[in-house]
Amino acid sequence: MIIMNDEQDRGIPQLLGDALSQFTRLFQNEIDLAKAELGEKAQQVGIAVGLLAGGAALLIPAVVMALFAFSAALISAGWSQPLSYLASAILDLLLAAVLVAFALNRLEARKLAPTETLRQLDKDKATVKGMVR
């Protein structure tokens, strides 16, 4: 006589229900992981923006004074005032472009993406496919 326990008596609907329940828990865990990772990324953005603002506040007066000194040196070297100020403005524009490019590089979407969550979701997708088979 063969005695069947509860595990053997379970039908396909129960097994699918269990698999769905496990998938739901897994999905909730992934949502929690995504929230945590996005929180970390938001903190990185906040720090970057704060550093950018602080650096700009300290840098602006120094750059203005340096540009005035540069213009004065050009005027002393025989350049006309408008041309020396234009040269200073062009130099300032180049410095600003470098700083903005550096800041945008740090805020690049690729670097802020929740890579760990996406990697884990791919693993979960493969797991669910395996469970359904």
Side-chain angles (χ1 to χ4, degrees):
M1 175 173 175
I2 300 175
I3 299 174
M4 299 178 85
N5 62 22
D6 287 339
E7 285 292 317
Q8 292 171 335
D9 286 341
R10 293 171 26 145
I12 291 176
Q14 275 185 314
L15 291 174
L16 285 175
D18 289 347
L20 183 59
S21 175
Q22 289 176 3
F23 175 72
T24 301
R25 281 194 301 267
L26 183 64
F27 187 70
Q28 184 60 45
N29 289 342
E30 296 308 328
I31 288 174
D32 292 342
L33 176 63
K35 285 179 186 177
E37 193 171 1
L38 289 173
E40 289 176 16
K41 299 298 182 177
Q43 184 179 10
Q44 287 178 357
V45 169
I47 290 171
V49 169
L51 291 173
L52 210 85
L58 295 173
L59 185 65
I60 290 171
V63 170
V64 168
M65 294 306 294
L67 292 171
F68 276 132
F70 181 65
S71 293
L74 291 177
I75 291 169
S76 294
W79 287 42
S80 69
Q81 265 188 333
L83 199 54
S84 67
Y85 291 141
L86 178 63
S88 293
I90 291 171
L91 178 62
D92 183 49
L93 181 64
L94 292 174
L95 290 173
V98 168
L99 291 173
V100 167
F102 182 71
L104 291 176
N105 183 43
R106 292 194 59 124
L107 295 174
E108 201 172 276
R110 174 179 53 85
K111 293 181 180 178
L112 298 174
T115 53
E116 187 60 34
T117 300
L118 294 173
R119 184 177 15 257
Q120 192 61 43
L121 283 173
D122 283 341
K123 287 180 184 178
D124 294 347
K125 181 177 150 186
T127 301
V128 169
K129 281 183 180 178
M131 288 171 58
V132 172
R133 287 184 189 171

